[in-house]
Amino acid sequence: MTSPYDPRFYEAVREGARRSAECIVPLVLDLVAPASVVDIGCGDGTWLAAFAARGIVDYLGLDGDYVDLKTLAIPRERFAATDLTMPLTLGRSFDLAVSLEVAEHLPPERAEAFVASLCAAAPAVLFSAAVPHQGGRDHRNERWPEYWAGLFAARGYLAADAIRDRIWDEPAVDWWYAQNTIVYARSETLAARPDLRVAAARTDAARLTRIHPRNYERIGELIAEKERRRNRFIRRVGRFLRG
């Protein structure tokens, strides 16, 4: 899969991903108790490294062949170069699939197949994806979380909004993870994990959209900067017209 991503891109997001994973991974381990994890769209493996640091020894990261293997935070044998625009065939299942801020980078027509691949990989999925107007490099399919919840529900996976309230005000977590991260799980997984089952019962899959204050402030700053540029342009034109 061709991609505009280069080592500088991963370097720019690495520290925020590491800090966010330090906060979120322990919560996920308590909720799901996975013994194996696959990260679909793992980048340099920062999130998988956080799982490994907490005792997960059976894990695999998938991403495009554009990832520089020298920058991996996980052993090279734990990474498989994969075209994420195509249906995945892993040859096995995992306890947990992770896909964080990945789906928005794929073509819109691949959304259903991508969710199908996540569901085929594991009975529980830790998922986040960019919302409309979130912005980012090569975002091609920004959607509200209700859209993704519908795709998961069509495959028997229920939304459990079990993470966001616990990290919403945590400054170490990047706002896009705090805003977008939801667990999706099959009924048998919910039955086996009481805290996850309670969270799913409390979750209204038709009302998942939240806009984080840090995102709202960012948008406000972008609008203000656009207005400042407009005013500067008007002043320059005025000076020009006055001679």
Side-chain angles (χ1 to χ4, degrees), residues 40-103:
I40 299 175
C42 69
D44 63 7
T46 295
W47 281 82
L48 283 175
F51 279 102
R54 287 158 180 81
I56 301 298
V57 298
D58 183 3
Y59 61 90
L60 177 67
L62 308 178
D63 213 321
D65 58 9
Y66 45 79
V67 174
D68 185 351
L69 299 181
K70 297 190 295 294
T71 69
L72 286 175
I74 56 176
R76 292 189 181 186
E77 62 270 20
R78 297 288 184 175
F79 175 84
T82 307
D83 184 349
L84 299 183
T85 67
M86 302 300 294
L88 302 180
T89 303
L90 299 180
R92 59 162 292 186
S93 62
F94 292 78
D95 296 328
L96 175 69
V98 175
S99 184
L100 300 173
E101 303 298 298
V102 174

Side-chain angles (χ1 to χ4, degrees), residues 45-220:
T46 295
W47 281 82
L48 283 175
F51 279 102
R54 287 158 180 81
I56 301 298
V57 298
D58 183 3
Y59 61 90
L60 177 67
L62 308 178
D63 213 321
D65 58 9
Y66 45 79
V67 174
D68 185 351
L69 299 181
K70 297 190 295 294
T71 69
L72 286 175
I74 56 176
R76 292 189 181 186
E77 62 270 20
R78 297 288 184 175
F79 175 84
T82 307
D83 184 349
L84 299 183
T85 67
M86 302 300 294
L88 302 180
T89 303
L90 299 180
R92 59 162 292 186
S93 62
F94 292 78
D95 296 328
L96 175 69
V98 175
S99 184
L100 300 173
E101 303 298 298
V102 174
E104 68 270 15
H105 297 275
L106 303 178
E109 64 271 17
R110 300 305 305 163
E112 291 188 34
F114 186 66
V115 170
S117 292
L118 295 176
C119 294
V125 181
L126 181 69
F127 181 84
S128 76
V131 301
H133 311 297
Q134 181 170 310
R137 187 181 299 189
D138 197 38
H139 282 198
R140 292 185 273 173
N141 192 29
E142 294 183 338
R143 301 276 190 166
W144 299 114
E146 290 81 2
Y147 168 82
W148 299 109
L151 296 185
F152 279 104
R155 298 192 169 269
Y157 283 64
L158 298 180
D161 194 1
I163 301 291
R164 294 190 294 181
D165 281 346
R166 301 173 69 178
I167 61 173
W168 193 255
D169 297 320
E170 175 51 63
V173 175
D174 285 333
W175 62 259
W176 45 90
Y177 297 123
Q179 176 180 277
N180 301 330
T181 301
I182 297 167
V183 178
Y184 293 93
R186 293 204 300 244
S187 56
E188 57 266 34
T189 299
L190 298 176
R193 304 302 305 169
D195 290 345
L196 198 60
R197 181 173 68 249
V198 169
R202 293 175 175 172
T203 299
D204 183 351
R207 298 188 178 190
L208 292 173
T209 294
R210 294 184 181 185
I211 300 300
H212 198 278
R214 279 181 273 163
N215 185 18
Y216 186 82
E217 291 170 356
R218 177 189 67 94
I219 293 171

Side-chain angles (χ1 to χ4, degrees), residues 5-46:
Y5 309 120
D6 56 28
R8 289 176 296 178
F9 170 80
Y10 292 113
E11 182 179 354
V13 301
R14 183 177 297 123
E15 178 57 23
R18 185 196 64 77
R19 287 186 282 98
S20 301
E22 290 289 322
C23 294
I24 295 174
V25 166
L27 303 179
V28 176
L29 292 175
D30 287 342
L31 284 166
V32 182
S36 57
V37 178
V38 59
D39 189 342
I40 299 175
C42 69
D44 63 7
T46 295

